[in-house]
Amino acid sequence: MSGVSRLCASIWEYLSGRGNIPAFPPFRLPALAHCALLAAAAPFIFQVPPEFSDRLAWLERHAPPIYEHYAGMLGTHPGAAFPDAPLVVEVVRSDPRIFPWADGIYSSGRLVLRAGAMEEFPELFRHELAHAFIEAAGGGRVAVWFNEGLAMRLSGGATDPAAAFWASVRGRPRLQDLAASFPDGGLAVRLAYARSHAVVGRIADEAGWEGILAVLHGTRRGLPFDQALLYGTGRTTAGWDRAAGRPEWVGALLSGSGAFLWFLIAAVVVVAYIRLRRRRRAVIAGWEEDEHDDPDVPRV
């Protein structure tokens, strides 16, 4: 954490009654003014170990405009849920609060982010910050699948093509099964994210961004999620589950010509076999090249 950030944190703890009054000598008064300006422009407290200084530099530069962008999109901000409290962004190497299959978590005004690779950090921050805004905009009452799918859409998260295709073909998992929680990991959680992302995308395409905001506004006013979803988008959870179910071509393929289906399966098998043979030939060629250059291999 930078010196100004530590100073801001001390002031905040004192003002919120969690710390003792800090002793600031006169030469620190300009820093106090800077802290006030910083808090007004960017309501964050960054808790970043020195070893992750590149993450801190990125956050100090990019977090404020991302915050303003989300505020403009959703018409509210996390401060509405936690009045006058800055968001705490904590970067860690590992932390038991983070689910084993996740890289970050948002809870009660605090973002805990696993450092991971620097190239993956911006998307992780955008995703978890999106959760902070969704929680505030929806009063903490939206279904988990809607929360995760909307966070992926807001943050521009990368899609998982394989999981998205498989979830689309199966029409699973059902949204009702993702209302309160996600699976613990593995393929199941990949399918849950892919399904949630796809359905929220379908909602945004059909009901528009106004429909998304209407759902959040309804739950914030105290409506049950399914009722807010119906009023805002014209369908309940079950309705969107059916609307975003298996594509029509899947049913047509399975119930159509058996010969075509077997031809398609055979084509897939043949392609896989050809690729396997090519891979084996490449491996054998590599071995032969190594043996040719090896002085210990006898020559005839």
Side-chain angles (χ1 to χ4, degrees):
M1 192 189 308
S2 66
V4 173
S5 296
R6 284 194 297 271
L7 179 59
C8 292
S10 299
I11 295 173
W12 170 249
E13 290 181 357
Y14 166 66
L15 294 177
S16 59
R18 296 197 298 267
N20 297 322
I21 183 169
F24 298 120
F27 62 84
R28 296 297 294 275
L29 291 179
L32 290 173
H34 179 70
C35 179
L37 291 174
L38 180 64
F44 294 105
I45 290 178
F46 300 128
Q47 297 180 351
V48 184
E51 61 183 305
F52 301 127
S53 58
D54 53 347
R55 276 74 166 177
L56 177 60
W58 186 92
L59 286 167
E60 290 177 337
R61 179 177 180 181
H62 296 284
I66 295 173
Y67 186 100
E68 294 301 324
H69 174 70
Y70 283 171
M73 290 286 291
L74 296 175
T76 187
H77 55 90
F82 303 96
D84 303 322
L87 282 172
V88 177
V89 181
E90 185 178 352
V91 179
V92 298
R93 182 174 295 279
S94 62
D95 195 288
R97 290 170 292 181
I98 302 176
F99 298 115
W101 44 266
D103 290 316
I105 190 173
Y106 168 75
S107 179
S108 303
R110 178 178 290 267
L111 287 74
V112 184
L113 311 175
R114 202 189 312 272
M118 183 60 210
E119 57 267 21
E120 299 171 354
F121 185 79
E123 181 184 327
L124 173 61
F125 171 77
R126 292 195 303 267
H127 184 93
E128 297 305 331
L129 182 61
H131 280 310
F133 276 85
I134 294 167
E135 289 288 316
R141 298 185 182 90
V142 300
V144 172
W145 67 263
F146 189 86
N147 196 330
E148 291 293 348
L150 184 54
M152 292 180 72
R153 187 174 181 87
L154 283 170
S155 64
T159 58
D160 185 339
F165 176 79
W166 187 238
S168 176
V169 169
R170 296 180 66 244
R172 297 290 186 277
R174 290 190 175 93
L175 299 180
Q176 292 92 327
D177 298 333
L178 304 176
S181 63
F182 264 25
D184 292 334
L187 178 60
V189 75
R190 290 175 56 194
L191 294 175
Y193 274 105
R195 179 74 170 164
S196 301
H197 193 194
V199 175
V200 169
R202 181 73 177 268
I203 293 172
D205 291 340
E206 292 193 14
W209 190 248
E210 296 80 5
I212 298 287
L213 294 179
V215 175
L216 296 171
H217 181 68
T219 56
R220 188 169 70 248
R221 290 192 298 114
L223 292 178
F225 172 75
D226 217 41
Q227 189 174 346
L229 186 65
L230 175 63
Y231 291 170
T233 67
R235 288 193 180 101
T236 61
T237 298
W240 282 112
D241 218 2
R242 290 190 295 270
R246 293 191 309 186
E248 294 180 359
W249 62 265
V250 175
L253 179 63
L254 296 177
S255 62
S257 169
F260 177 74
L261 178 59
W262 281 110
F263 173 78
L264 182 62
I265 293 174
V268 172
V269 171
V270 169
V271 170
Y273 176 72
I274 292 174
R275 294 185 63 183
L276 180 61
R277 281 180 60 87
R278 288 178 177 175
R279 192 178 300 119
R280 286 178 176 174
R281 286 176 180 172
V283 172
I284 293 173
W287 289 345
E288 292 176 349
E289 184 177 353
D290 291 342
E291 290 177 355
H292 182 271
D293 297 334
D294 191 345
D296 296 328
V297 175
R299 301 285 184 263
V300 178

